[in-house]
Amino acid sequence: MQEFKKALEKIRDANHIVLISHRHPDADTIGANIFMHIVLENNFHKKVTSVCADPLPATLLFITDDFVIQSEMPKNYDCIITVDCSTKEQTKFTNEMDSKITVINIDHHATNTMYGDINIVDPLAASATEMLYTIFENLGIKYSRHAATCLLAGIYNDTGSFMHSNTQKGTYITAGELQSKGADIKTIVKNLFKTQSIEQLKLWGKVLSNARLNGKGTLVSKISADELDETNASPRELAGVINYLNCVPESKMTMLLSEDLNGNVQGSMRSGNGDIDVSSLCEQFGGGGHKKAAGFTIPGKIVSQEFWRINAA
Ligand code: AMP
Ligand code: MN
Ligand code: MN
């Protein structure tokens, strides 16, 4: 609460605020960004610039609508607000984050490194957008139907349409309130869960057929750069497929390894039937996330290994 008061004071004093989303953007970070953009412009009368280092996939453009998200930092700003970013590296703009400009860090990742000057971090929140709903509800601020769509899109995304264990009673209530405010559920669901290119379907097919269950209750799959190339899909089109892998009753944990086009291996992990904290596993590889959904990126390649054993009679 103290942090929130400090943030509000800083926002009121600022003239030009930069809102930053994390790299490889998803609907939570972009929904939070555009929601804040609308509110800071309309209710606080600020000059606002939205930034995300990586381009947005077409399925997130319903969130940006007429707003511009630029890939570089603007000049002459006096406050930075990051949304849904657990580390400053996830913004790409580490130099700017280390400058004298005040950084307000609004996030819900358990592994958040508290890199801001002001840190509003709630690991119990299902999404950054859910946090923003609560914050602005407490301030009694009214906003447009589109702003409500931005928040609900983030909640749908991070709860996997209310299927993940981060969905709580309050999440359903918030979603209902946002629907009452005019959030466009049909467009959210169509873009986030019912739009797939044929290339993406082929990619998911390879990921599913590469799935293996090891003897220790871990479901593993992989996609190499060559396999990715064969499908003509982009690495970002892997988003979502892990939910299908993470369904095998014998599996306590799911790991998807994928090679990107820059010589890195991206690891995505999910805790399945069990209580394994995958975020602490991913932290050991320089990544992070949530207890039940986390990831890491390391330079390298995936090497295939076969183990053979003779069970003597
Ligand atoms: P993903 O498996 O990509 O859907 O990511 C699951 C969760 O882990 C998300 O909350 C991400 O923010 C987080 N995450 C994924 N990759 C990384 C990384 N390299 N560093 C920190 N957090 C990550
Ligand atoms: Mn995110
Ligand atoms: Mn999030």
Side-chain angles (χ1 to χ4, degrees):
M1 208 54 203
Q2 202 55 34
E3 288 295 281
F4 176 60
K5 268 197 188 145
K6 275 199 264 173
L8 209 53
E9 272 168 30
K10 182 64 209 173
I11 288 171
R12 292 215 159 102
D13 286 349
N15 293 308
H16 181 185
I17 300 172
V18 181
L19 292 162
I20 310 184
S21 286
H22 63 71
R23 303 195 66 172
H24 312 295
D26 57 32
D28 190 34
T29 196
I30 298 299
N33 193 317
I34 299 299
F35 172 83
M36 287 292 286
H37 194 125
I38 294 170
V39 168
L40 292 178
E41 239 174 34
N42 294 353
N43 302 72
F44 290 78
H45 311 292
K46 301 293 170 185
K47 178 173 163 58
V48 188
T49 303
S50 287
V51 175
C52 178
D54 288 334
L56 269 60
T59 49
L60 295 185
L61 298 181
F62 76 99
I63 301 175
T64 48
D65 197 26
D66 288 338
F67 294 89
V68 173
I69 298 207
Q70 57 187 61
S71 58
E72 292 299 337
M73 293 292 279
K75 293 199 164 48
N76 304 324
Y77 52 89
D78 48 13
C79 177
I80 292 175
I81 303 178
T82 61
V83 283
D84 198 39
C85 301
S86 59
T87 62
K88 62 186 172 192
E89 287 74 20
Q90 285 191 315
T91 67
K92 184 186 160 200
F93 304 106
T94 44
N95 290 344
E96 289 83 347
M97 308 280 280
D98 289 337
S99 71
K100 279 184 290 184
I101 305 285
T102 303
V103 174
I104 304 173
N105 160 20
I106 304 178
D107 185 37
H108 68 119
H109 290 90
T111 55
N112 191 290
T113 55
M114 302 291 182
Y115 55 85
D117 299 295
I118 301 170
N119 299 291
I120 304 174
V121 177
D122 179 5
L124 296 178
S127 64
T129 40
E130 188 179 58
M131 289 175 67
L132 293 179
Y133 173 84
T134 310
I135 289 170
F136 287 94
E137 203 57 23
N138 287 338
L139 289 177
I141 282 177
K142 300 262 182 290
Y143 42 84
S144 64
R145 291 165 69 109
H146 184 66
T149 300
C150 292
L151 292 184
L152 192 55
I155 292 172
Y156 258 97
N157 186 79
D158 277 22
T159 60
S161 47
F162 307 96
M163 283 200 279
H164 301 332
S165 60
N166 56 358
T167 311
Q168 294 169 43
K169 181 180 165 191
T171 319
Y172 293 112
I173 294 170
T174 298
E177 291 296 332
L178 289 169
Q179 186 189 24
S180 304
K181 291 178 194 290
D184 183 353
I185 294 177
K186 214 169 137 187
T187 301
I188 293 171
V189 171
K190 183 163 185 290
N191 280 279
L192 299 188
F193 301 103
K194 297 202 178 290
T195 303
Q196 293 196 269
S197 67
I198 186 86
E199 291 81 10
Q200 187 178 31
L201 290 180
K202 291 189 171 161
L203 179 67
W204 284 27
K206 281 189 193 288
V207 171
L208 298 180
S209 65
N210 284 341
R212 303 279 181 274
L213 187 63
N214 76 9
K216 293 178 183 161
T218 303
L219 193 296
V220 189
S221 187
K222 60 98 190 177
I223 201 93
S224 66
D226 286 345
E227 288 172 307
L228 182 69
D229 199 46
E230 283 164 27
T231 64
N232 270 331
S234 77
R236 69 183 348 146
E237 290 183 283
L238 286 167
V241 68
I242 196 162
N243 294 324
Y244 289 92
L245 295 171
N246 197 32
C247 290
V248 177
E250 295 81 13
S251 155
K252 296 194 186 74
M253 182 169 84
T254 297
M255 176 156 75
L256 172 61
L257 297 175
S258 55
E259 290 176 353
D260 69 12
L261 307 170
N262 309 313
N264 294 313
V265 175
Q266 168 74 36
S268 268
M269 299 194 70
R270 296 291 183 272
S271 185
N273 304 300
D275 206 25
I276 298 170
D277 181 353
V278 288
S279 71
S280 61
L281 286 172
C282 289
E283 270 186 307
Q284 294 177 27
F285 299 105
H290 311 283
K291 199 174 164 199
K292 287 180 169 282
F296 61 85
T297 310
I298 40 177
K301 292 193 80 60
I302 302 167
V303 183
S304 150
Q305 280 196 335
E306 298 284 346
F307 293 97
W308 299 100
R309 192 179 66 166
I310 298 173
N311 266 357

PDB file of all heavy atoms in Angstrom, residues 203 206 223-233 261:
ATOM      1  N   LEU A 203       3.520 -27.228 -36.533  1.00  0.00           N
ATOM      2  CA  LEU A 203       4.528 -27.124 -35.473  1.00  0.00           C
ATOM      3  C   LEU A 203       4.054 -27.846 -34.208  1.00  0.00           C
ATOM      4  O   LEU A 203       4.798 -28.627 -33.606  1.00  0.00           O
ATOM      5  CB  LEU A 203       4.780 -25.637 -35.172  1.00  0.00           C
ATOM      6  CG  LEU A 203       5.774 -25.317 -34.075  1.00  0.00           C
ATOM      7  CD1 LEU A 203       7.184 -25.738 -34.482  1.00  0.00           C
ATOM      8  CD2 LEU A 203       5.763 -23.825 -33.749  1.00  0.00           C
ATOM      9  N   LYS A 206       4.378 -31.558 -34.487  1.00  0.00           N
ATOM     10  CA  LYS A 206       5.739 -32.074 -34.243  1.00  0.00           C
ATOM     11  C   LYS A 206       6.036 -32.108 -32.747  1.00  0.00           C
ATOM     12  O   LYS A 206       6.619 -33.075 -32.251  1.00  0.00           O
ATOM     13  CB  LYS A 206       6.775 -31.194 -34.955  1.00  0.00           C
ATOM     14  CG  LYS A 206       6.887 -31.472 -36.445  1.00  0.00           C
ATOM     15  CD  LYS A 206       8.065 -30.727 -37.035  1.00  0.00           C
ATOM     16  CE  LYS A 206       8.038 -30.725 -38.550  1.00  0.00           C
ATOM     17  NZ  LYS A 206       8.360 -32.026 -39.153  1.00  0.00           N
ATOM     18  N   ILE A 223      11.720 -29.095 -29.883  1.00  0.00           N
ATOM     19  CA  ILE A 223      11.627 -28.740 -31.290  1.00  0.00           C
ATOM     20  C   ILE A 223      12.961 -28.105 -31.674  1.00  0.00           C
ATOM     21  O   ILE A 223      13.428 -27.166 -31.031  1.00  0.00           O
ATOM     22  CB  ILE A 223      10.408 -27.822 -31.559  1.00  0.00           C
ATOM     23  CG1 ILE A 223       9.999 -27.855 -33.017  1.00  0.00           C
ATOM     24  CG2 ILE A 223      10.589 -26.404 -31.111  1.00  0.00           C
ATOM     25  CD1 ILE A 223       8.931 -28.863 -33.310  1.00  0.00           C
ATOM     26  N   SER A 224      13.619 -28.666 -32.690  1.00  0.00           N
ATOM     27  CA  SER A 224      14.919 -28.134 -33.103  1.00  0.00           C
ATOM     28  C   SER A 224      14.699 -27.022 -34.129  1.00  0.00           C
ATOM     29  O   SER A 224      13.612 -26.887 -34.691  1.00  0.00           O
ATOM     30  CB  SER A 224      15.761 -29.246 -33.724  1.00  0.00           C
ATOM     31  OG  SER A 224      15.140 -29.672 -34.925  1.00  0.00           O
ATOM     32  N   ALA A 225      15.769 -26.270 -34.396  1.00  0.00           N
ATOM     33  CA  ALA A 225      15.667 -25.189 -35.385  1.00  0.00           C
ATOM     34  C   ALA A 225      15.301 -25.765 -36.759  1.00  0.00           C
ATOM     35  O   ALA A 225      14.537 -25.157 -37.520  1.00  0.00           O
ATOM     36  CB  ALA A 225      16.972 -24.416 -35.448  1.00  0.00           C
ATOM     37  N   ASP A 226      15.815 -26.958 -37.067  1.00  0.00           N
ATOM     38  CA  ASP A 226      15.502 -27.590 -38.356  1.00  0.00           C
ATOM     39  C   ASP A 226      14.022 -27.951 -38.441  1.00  0.00           C
ATOM     40  O   ASP A 226      13.369 -27.755 -39.464  1.00  0.00           O
ATOM     41  CB  ASP A 226      16.343 -28.859 -38.561  1.00  0.00           C
ATOM     42  CG  ASP A 226      17.780 -28.509 -38.896  1.00  0.00           C
ATOM     43  OD1 ASP A 226      18.025 -27.337 -39.248  1.00  0.00           O
ATOM     44  OD2 ASP A 226      18.643 -29.403 -38.780  1.00  0.00           O
ATOM     45  N   GLU A 227      13.508 -28.527 -37.348  1.00  0.00           N
ATOM     46  CA  GLU A 227      12.084 -28.898 -37.336  1.00  0.00           C
ATOM     47  C   GLU A 227      11.200 -27.647 -37.451  1.00  0.00           C
ATOM     48  O   GLU A 227      10.181 -27.661 -38.146  1.00  0.00           O
ATOM     49  CB  GLU A 227      11.741 -29.647 -36.038  1.00  0.00           C
ATOM     50  CG  GLU A 227      12.319 -31.056 -35.999  1.00  0.00           C
ATOM     51  CD  GLU A 227      12.130 -31.695 -34.637  1.00  0.00           C
ATOM     52  OE1 GLU A 227      12.519 -31.076 -33.620  1.00  0.00           O
ATOM     53  OE2 GLU A 227      11.610 -32.806 -34.589  1.00  0.00           O
ATOM     54  N   LEU A 228      11.645 -26.601 -36.769  1.00  0.00           N
ATOM     55  CA  LEU A 228      10.907 -25.336 -36.837  1.00  0.00           C
ATOM     56  C   LEU A 228      10.869 -24.849 -38.285  1.00  0.00           C
ATOM     57  O   LEU A 228       9.823 -24.455 -38.814  1.00  0.00           O
ATOM     58  CB  LEU A 228      11.609 -24.314 -35.934  1.00  0.00           C
ATOM     59  CG  LEU A 228      10.988 -22.942 -35.821  1.00  0.00           C
ATOM     60  CD1 LEU A 228       9.670 -23.014 -35.069  1.00  0.00           C
ATOM     61  CD2 LEU A 228      11.946 -21.992 -35.083  1.00  0.00           C
ATOM     62  N   ASP A 229      12.031 -24.928 -38.928  1.00  0.00           N
ATOM     63  CA  ASP A 229      12.184 -24.487 -40.306  1.00  0.00           C
ATOM     64  C   ASP A 229      11.255 -25.274 -41.245  1.00  0.00           C
ATOM     65  O   ASP A 229      10.631 -24.701 -42.136  1.00  0.00           O
ATOM     66  CB  ASP A 229      13.659 -24.684 -40.691  1.00  0.00           C
ATOM     67  CG  ASP A 229      14.013 -23.865 -41.892  1.00  0.00           C
ATOM     68  OD1 ASP A 229      13.621 -22.685 -41.902  1.00  0.00           O
ATOM     69  OD2 ASP A 229      14.652 -24.419 -42.815  1.00  0.00           O
ATOM     70  N   GLU A 230      11.167 -26.588 -41.012  1.00  0.00           N
ATOM     71  CA  GLU A 230      10.311 -27.442 -41.868  1.00  0.00           C
ATOM     72  C   GLU A 230       8.852 -27.004 -41.825  1.00  0.00           C
ATOM     73  O   GLU A 230       8.113 -27.195 -42.784  1.00  0.00           O
ATOM     74  CB  GLU A 230      10.385 -28.904 -41.394  1.00  0.00           C
ATOM     75  CG  GLU A 230      11.653 -29.630 -41.806  1.00  0.00           C
ATOM     76  CD  GLU A 230      11.841 -30.909 -40.979  1.00  0.00           C
ATOM     77  OE1 GLU A 230      10.837 -31.482 -40.517  1.00  0.00           O
ATOM     78  OE2 GLU A 230      13.015 -31.298 -40.783  1.00  0.00           O
ATOM     79  N   THR A 231       8.430 -26.441 -40.698  1.00  0.00           N
ATOM     80  CA  THR A 231       7.003 -26.073 -40.575  1.00  0.00           C
ATOM     81  C   THR A 231       6.720 -24.670 -41.082  1.00  0.00           C
ATOM     82  O   THR A 231       5.558 -24.305 -41.268  1.00  0.00           O
ATOM     83  CB  THR A 231       6.542 -26.115 -39.106  1.00  0.00           C
ATOM     84  OG1 THR A 231       7.261 -25.116 -38.382  1.00  0.00           O
ATOM     85  CG2 THR A 231       6.772 -27.468 -38.478  1.00  0.00           C
ATOM     86  N   ASN A 232       7.797 -23.850 -41.249  1.00  0.00           N
ATOM     87  CA  ASN A 232       7.629 -22.444 -41.632  1.00  0.00           C
ATOM     88  C   ASN A 232       6.957 -21.610 -40.555  1.00  0.00           C
ATOM     89  O   ASN A 232       6.499 -20.502 -40.828  1.00  0.00           O
ATOM     90  CB  ASN A 232       6.806 -22.311 -42.919  1.00  0.00           C
ATOM     91  CG  ASN A 232       7.711 -22.340 -44.122  1.00  0.00           C
ATOM     92  OD1 ASN A 232       8.862 -21.923 -44.026  1.00  0.00           O
ATOM     93  ND2 ASN A 232       7.195 -22.866 -45.220  1.00  0.00           N
ATOM     94  N   ALA A 233       6.855 -22.143 -39.350  1.00  0.00           N
ATOM     95  CA  ALA A 233       6.234 -21.369 -38.260  1.00  0.00           C
ATOM     96  C   ALA A 233       7.320 -20.561 -37.555  1.00  0.00           C
ATOM     97  O   ALA A 233       8.509 -20.788 -37.751  1.00  0.00           O
ATOM     98  CB  ALA A 233       5.566 -22.324 -37.270  1.00  0.00           C
ATOM     99  N   LEU A 261      15.994 -18.912 -33.392  1.00  0.00           N
ATOM    100  CA  LEU A 261      16.790 -18.640 -34.593  1.00  0.00           C
ATOM    101  C   LEU A 261      18.086 -17.897 -34.255  1.00  0.00           C
ATOM    102  O   LEU A 261      18.852 -17.542 -35.134  1.00  0.00           O
ATOM    103  CB  LEU A 261      15.941 -17.848 -35.601  1.00  0.00           C
ATOM    104  CG  LEU A 261      14.588 -18.503 -35.915  1.00  0.00           C
ATOM    105  CD1 LEU A 261      13.692 -17.589 -36.723  1.00  0.00           C
ATOM    106  CD2 LEU A 261      14.782 -19.832 -36.637  1.00  0.00           C
TER     107      LEU A 261
END
